[in-house]
Amino acid sequence: MATNSNFKREKIGTGNVAFSQSRTTIETAFYGNNVKRILDLKEAYQLAKEAPGTIVTDMPVYEPEKLGLPENAKILLFNDGETVGRFAGARVILGEKGILEADIAAVLREAVYKTRYKTMLHSKAYIGLNEDFMVKANLLVPQTYENTLYNWLLNFQYMNSFYNQMYKDSKVIGNEPDIFILSDPDWQDERFPNGLAYFDPEHNCAAILGLRYFGEHKKGTLTLAWGIANRNGYAACHGGLKRMILPDGKTHVMGVFGLSGSGKSTLTHAKHKGKYEVTVLHDDAYIISTENGSTVALEPSYFDKTQDYPLTSKDNQFLITVQNCGATIDAEDKLVLVTEDIRNGNGRAIKSKLWASNRVDKLEEPINTIIWLMKDNSLPPVLKLEDPTLASVMGACLATKRSTAEKVLRGVDRNKLVFEPYANPFRTYALKEDYYKFKALFENRGVECYILNTGYFLDKKIPKEVTISIIEKIVDQNAEMKPFGRFEGMSTMEVEGFELNFSSRAYKELLRGSIENRIKYLDSLNDLKGGRDALPEEAVDSLQKLLSM
């Protein structure tokens, strides 16, 4: 599929989804005489290299020509200030209760007006890497934020002859217009002291104001692309997906869903010591067709943490740009990176597509297994969910903890358990849309569902090696599952060092509390945002049933 870029004059006006108040205000800013268009990746690299504050390291980009970069390209480092993560509190979504477009439109008009005093840079990219799903997106940023533009072009697919032809061959679907995103990181407004990330999802536009962190631009773009996918027969996925081919030729396609720090990247890229032929679709953003179960990656590269990659890590050869890390001069008088989150939490890097030599952009084989990655110390290392309703409900009640990838207000406890439906805090549509789509995958397509606890079981940390071994047992179909206590439709496997004790009153109370907290969370959705994310009664009923067992 492709989006609509241009319209005949008789189609320009009211009644066309491309011409709402917010969208028209945002799009108009792209055509000022102070706007310079930057589409060439090499030009974007040069501008980012020369931007104030950029640190040009002595570390070369690996095989830059394959990425569309100059042959002598170096890894660029650019650092933000106090804020080094996304801030959910800045997100305002049109369509939610209490959000009036007329009020926000006035803010947008003023923000656009103030850009007239700046040179603005306009670029374009594709979101989605297959003819089945390709969305054209536009980004406008002020001069001096060339690194934001460069990172955006690297994170998504910059325009070149190959992808231009692919997009041309894609079928325009429905009335979906291109994405337009206005960004001004220096914007200030006392009404929004922590910035404003405004989304008009029905009209594919956004304004990211007063927010420097690149992740706001990455996830802001994906927010709109996922919304388009949802409206056009796909389940939006914030997670990783891989295909494993067994020695006998059988294939297993597995998706893992989790927030930053849950292990989704580690599990997606795990090569299982050569046990399988592994093919990676992506570790963060993809979509699943509800029609045939095929999957499409939305991004070519990887926006990965640098915390677990010391300077000498072999994986660092695939870095293209780095954000919020340190720099130093090594013993060879070379300017190099200081990673491992020494400077601050949530150091980040864009890694090239070459990091995964086993990478593809689409998998025709339908997905076999969906795994919810959770951090809930009441849950054992693995649970299998047989009932499609319960499987989808547990995804809607995915338990986790806030990571350093997110900015939280002072006083908020990062260690407190929170629920993030389907590990996707970037949803702009009603939660029931995801609920029914994932339920249909379990119910109609026979997709299996598991929960993997990648945090602590009781007070004992579950190592990644244990999690990977469980995945291998699932793929090899030799996982010896046994009933999970008296809970119908739920089973687990014995894992040494993580034995269950249902005779323990304390454990049963802990588990009961975990279920009750999920019920309370679902009940809260009936009032939150005017009930927009309320789920059908069957969702709560499936959890209430567990309490009676």
Side-chain angles (χ1 to χ4, degrees), residues 56-73:
V56 183
T57 73
D58 289 319
M59 302 170 65
V61 173
Y62 178 71
E63 298 189 352
E65 298 92 338
K66 290 185 177 180
L67 307 175
L69 292 172
E71 62 180 359
N72 61 346

PDB file of all heavy atoms in Angstrom, residues 56-73:
ATOM      1  N   VAL A  56      32.550  14.456  15.896  1.00  0.00           N
ATOM      2  CA  VAL A  56      32.919  13.544  14.815  1.00  0.00           C
ATOM      3  C   VAL A  56      34.017  12.625  15.344  1.00  0.00           C
ATOM      4  O   VAL A  56      35.149  13.055  15.559  1.00  0.00           O
ATOM      5  CB  VAL A  56      33.418  14.315  13.577  1.00  0.00           C
ATOM      6  CG1 VAL A  56      33.721  13.347  12.439  1.00  0.00           C
ATOM      7  CG2 VAL A  56      32.390  15.356  13.137  1.00  0.00           C
ATOM      8  N   THR A  57      33.671  11.380  15.600  1.00  0.00           N
ATOM      9  CA  THR A  57      34.637  10.452  16.184  1.00  0.00           C
ATOM     10  C   THR A  57      35.643   9.983  15.128  1.00  0.00           C
ATOM     11  O   THR A  57      35.476  10.234  13.933  1.00  0.00           O
ATOM     12  CB  THR A  57      33.935   9.231  16.782  1.00  0.00           C
ATOM     13  OG1 THR A  57      33.454   8.389  15.715  1.00  0.00           O
ATOM     14  CG2 THR A  57      32.769   9.637  17.683  1.00  0.00           C
ATOM     15  N   ASP A  58      36.643   9.293  15.590  1.00  0.00           N
ATOM     16  CA  ASP A  58      37.615   8.660  14.694  1.00  0.00           C
ATOM     17  C   ASP A  58      37.230   7.216  14.400  1.00  0.00           C
ATOM     18  O   ASP A  58      38.057   6.430  13.931  1.00  0.00           O
ATOM     19  CB  ASP A  58      39.018   8.713  15.310  1.00  0.00           C
ATOM     20  CG  ASP A  58      39.590  10.117  15.325  1.00  0.00           C
ATOM     21  OD1 ASP A  58      39.406  10.828  14.325  1.00  0.00           O
ATOM     22  OD2 ASP A  58      40.195  10.515  16.344  1.00  0.00           O
ATOM     23  N   MET A  59      35.978   6.888  14.666  1.00  0.00           N
ATOM     24  CA  MET A  59      35.483   5.534  14.434  1.00  0.00           C
ATOM     25  C   MET A  59      34.707   5.509  13.119  1.00  0.00           C
ATOM     26  O   MET A  59      33.710   6.218  12.964  1.00  0.00           O
ATOM     27  CB  MET A  59      34.582   5.094  15.595  1.00  0.00           C
ATOM     28  CG  MET A  59      35.285   5.134  16.949  1.00  0.00           C
ATOM     29  SD  MET A  59      34.153   4.889  18.361  1.00  0.00           S
ATOM     30  CE  MET A  59      33.597   3.208  18.091  1.00  0.00           C
ATOM     31  N   PRO A  60      35.165   4.728  12.133  1.00  0.00           N
ATOM     32  CA  PRO A  60      34.520   4.734  10.818  1.00  0.00           C
ATOM     33  C   PRO A  60      33.192   3.974  10.819  1.00  0.00           C
ATOM     34  O   PRO A  60      32.986   3.032  11.587  1.00  0.00           O
ATOM     35  CB  PRO A  60      35.543   4.015   9.931  1.00  0.00           C
ATOM     36  CG  PRO A  60      36.274   3.103  10.870  1.00  0.00           C
ATOM     37  CD  PRO A  60      36.346   3.840  12.183  1.00  0.00           C
ATOM     38  N   VAL A  61      32.289   4.414   9.945  1.00  0.00           N
ATOM     39  CA  VAL A  61      31.054   3.667   9.697  1.00  0.00           C
ATOM     40  C   VAL A  61      31.410   2.442   8.865  1.00  0.00           C
ATOM     41  O   VAL A  61      32.155   2.530   7.889  1.00  0.00           O
ATOM     42  CB  VAL A  61      30.025   4.542   8.966  1.00  0.00           C
ATOM     43  CG1 VAL A  61      28.810   3.712   8.547  1.00  0.00           C
ATOM     44  CG2 VAL A  61      29.592   5.709   9.849  1.00  0.00           C
ATOM     45  N   TYR A  62      30.865   1.294   9.239  1.00  0.00           N
ATOM     46  CA  TYR A  62      31.168   0.040   8.550  1.00  0.00           C
ATOM     47  C   TYR A  62      30.463  -0.011   7.202  1.00  0.00           C
ATOM     48  O   TYR A  62      29.240   0.169   7.112  1.00  0.00           O
ATOM     49  CB  TYR A  62      30.734  -1.133   9.431  1.00  0.00           C
ATOM     50  CG  TYR A  62      30.939  -2.498   8.831  1.00  0.00           C
ATOM     51  CD1 TYR A  62      32.221  -3.028   8.675  1.00  0.00           C
ATOM     52  CD2 TYR A  62      29.853  -3.268   8.420  1.00  0.00           C
ATOM     53  CE1 TYR A  62      32.414  -4.289   8.127  1.00  0.00           C
ATOM     54  CE2 TYR A  62      30.025  -4.536   7.885  1.00  0.00           C
ATOM     55  CZ  TYR A  62      31.317  -5.039   7.729  1.00  0.00           C
ATOM     56  OH  TYR A  62      31.497  -6.282   7.184  1.00  0.00           O
ATOM     57  N   GLU A  63      31.243  -0.237   6.141  1.00  0.00           N
ATOM     58  CA  GLU A  63      30.724  -0.345   4.776  1.00  0.00           C
ATOM     59  C   GLU A  63      29.687   0.742   4.476  1.00  0.00           C
ATOM     60  O   GLU A  63      28.529   0.453   4.146  1.00  0.00           O
ATOM     61  CB  GLU A  63      30.143  -1.741   4.535  1.00  0.00           C
ATOM     62  CG  GLU A  63      31.181  -2.851   4.658  1.00  0.00           C
ATOM     63  CD  GLU A  63      30.672  -4.207   4.200  1.00  0.00           C
ATOM     64  OE1 GLU A  63      29.453  -4.325   3.929  1.00  0.00           O
ATOM     65  OE2 GLU A  63      31.487  -5.135   4.102  1.00  0.00           O
ATOM     66  N   PRO A  64      30.088   1.996   4.573  1.00  0.00           N
ATOM     67  CA  PRO A  64      29.138   3.104   4.418  1.00  0.00           C
ATOM     68  C   PRO A  64      28.474   3.171   3.054  1.00  0.00           C
ATOM     69  O   PRO A  64      27.324   3.616   2.945  1.00  0.00           O
ATOM     70  CB  PRO A  64      30.019   4.335   4.669  1.00  0.00           C
ATOM     71  CG  PRO A  64      31.411   3.892   4.358  1.00  0.00           C
ATOM     72  CD  PRO A  64      31.471   2.460   4.790  1.00  0.00           C
ATOM     73  N   GLU A  65      29.184   2.727   1.997  1.00  0.00           N
ATOM     74  CA  GLU A  65      28.602   2.805   0.657  1.00  0.00           C
ATOM     75  C   GLU A  65      27.323   1.982   0.545  1.00  0.00           C
ATOM     76  O   GLU A  65      26.399   2.348  -0.186  1.00  0.00           O
ATOM     77  CB  GLU A  65      29.611   2.326  -0.398  1.00  0.00           C
ATOM     78  CG  GLU A  65      30.880   3.177  -0.476  1.00  0.00           C
ATOM     79  CD  GLU A  65      31.983   2.634   0.415  1.00  0.00           C
ATOM     80  OE1 GLU A  65      31.668   1.884   1.373  1.00  0.00           O
ATOM     81  OE2 GLU A  65      33.150   2.952   0.149  1.00  0.00           O
ATOM     82  N   LYS A  66      27.264   0.856   1.286  1.00  0.00           N
ATOM     83  CA  LYS A  66      26.067   0.018   1.252  1.00  0.00           C
ATOM     84  C   LYS A  66      24.876   0.707   1.925  1.00  0.00           C
ATOM     85  O   LYS A  66      23.729   0.293   1.746  1.00  0.00           O
ATOM     86  CB  LYS A  66      26.340  -1.322   1.937  1.00  0.00           C
ATOM     87  CG  LYS A  66      27.293  -2.228   1.168  1.00  0.00           C
ATOM     88  CD  LYS A  66      27.424  -3.582   1.855  1.00  0.00           C
ATOM     89  CE  LYS A  66      28.329  -4.520   1.053  1.00  0.00           C
ATOM     90  NZ  LYS A  66      28.475  -5.847   1.693  1.00  0.00           N
ATOM     91  N   LEU A  67      25.173   1.742   2.713  1.00  0.00           N
ATOM     92  CA  LEU A  67      24.125   2.458   3.437  1.00  0.00           C
ATOM     93  C   LEU A  67      23.755   3.764   2.757  1.00  0.00           C
ATOM     94  O   LEU A  67      22.861   4.477   3.209  1.00  0.00           O
ATOM     95  CB  LEU A  67      24.586   2.748   4.868  1.00  0.00           C
ATOM     96  CG  LEU A  67      25.079   1.547   5.682  1.00  0.00           C
ATOM     97  CD1 LEU A  67      25.611   2.007   7.028  1.00  0.00           C
ATOM     98  CD2 LEU A  67      23.973   0.521   5.866  1.00  0.00           C
ATOM     99  N   GLY A  68      24.474   4.085   1.667  1.00  0.00           N
ATOM    100  CA  GLY A  68      24.219   5.334   0.980  1.00  0.00           C
ATOM    101  C   GLY A  68      25.004   6.509   1.523  1.00  0.00           C
ATOM    102  O   GLY A  68      24.688   7.670   1.244  1.00  0.00           O
ATOM    103  N   LEU A  69      26.075   6.236   2.299  1.00  0.00           N
ATOM    104  CA  LEU A  69      26.881   7.273   2.930  1.00  0.00           C
ATOM    105  C   LEU A  69      28.224   7.434   2.216  1.00  0.00           C
ATOM    106  O   LEU A  69      28.658   6.528   1.488  1.00  0.00           O
ATOM    107  CB  LEU A  69      27.118   6.929   4.406  1.00  0.00           C
ATOM    108  CG  LEU A  69      25.879   6.972   5.302  1.00  0.00           C
ATOM    109  CD1 LEU A  69      26.197   6.414   6.693  1.00  0.00           C
ATOM    110  CD2 LEU A  69      25.358   8.401   5.413  1.00  0.00           C
ATOM    111  N   PRO A  70      28.915   8.548   2.442  1.00  0.00           N
ATOM    112  CA  PRO A  70      30.249   8.725   1.848  1.00  0.00           C
ATOM    113  C   PRO A  70      31.205   7.642   2.321  1.00  0.00           C
ATOM    114  O   PRO A  70      31.076   7.130   3.442  1.00  0.00           O
ATOM    115  CB  PRO A  70      30.680  10.105   2.361  1.00  0.00           C
ATOM    116  CG  PRO A  70      29.409  10.799   2.722  1.00  0.00           C
ATOM    117  CD  PRO A  70      28.486   9.730   3.193  1.00  0.00           C
ATOM    118  N   GLU A  71      32.182   7.291   1.504  1.00  0.00           N
ATOM    119  CA  GLU A  71      33.082   6.189   1.825  1.00  0.00           C
ATOM    120  C   GLU A  71      33.940   6.457   3.049  1.00  0.00           C
ATOM    121  O   GLU A  71      34.436   5.522   3.692  1.00  0.00           O
ATOM    122  CB  GLU A  71      33.981   5.870   0.628  1.00  0.00           C
ATOM    123  CG  GLU A  71      34.885   7.006   0.198  1.00  0.00           C
ATOM    124  CD  GLU A  71      35.756   6.621  -0.983  1.00  0.00           C
ATOM    125  OE1 GLU A  71      35.660   5.460  -1.435  1.00  0.00           O
ATOM    126  OE2 GLU A  71      36.523   7.476  -1.457  1.00  0.00           O
ATOM    127  N   ASN A  72      34.119   7.716   3.412  1.00  0.00           N
ATOM    128  CA  ASN A  72      34.922   8.055   4.591  1.00  0.00           C
ATOM    129  C   ASN A  72      34.062   8.467   5.782  1.00  0.00           C
ATOM    130  O   ASN A  72      34.540   9.138   6.711  1.00  0.00           O
ATOM    131  CB  ASN A  72      35.895   9.183   4.253  1.00  0.00           C
ATOM    132  CG  ASN A  72      35.170  10.459   3.826  1.00  0.00           C
ATOM    133  OD1 ASN A  72      33.967  10.426   3.545  1.00  0.00           O
ATOM    134  ND2 ASN A  72      35.897  11.575   3.785  1.00  0.00           N
ATOM    135  N   ALA A  73      32.800   8.081   5.788  1.00  0.00           N
ATOM    136  CA  ALA A  73      31.881   8.497   6.849  1.00  0.00           C
ATOM    137  C   ALA A  73      32.337   8.003   8.212  1.00  0.00           C
ATOM    138  O   ALA A  73      32.802   6.874   8.373  1.00  0.00           O
ATOM    139  CB  ALA A  73      30.474   7.976   6.549  1.00  0.00           C
TER     140      ALA A  73
END
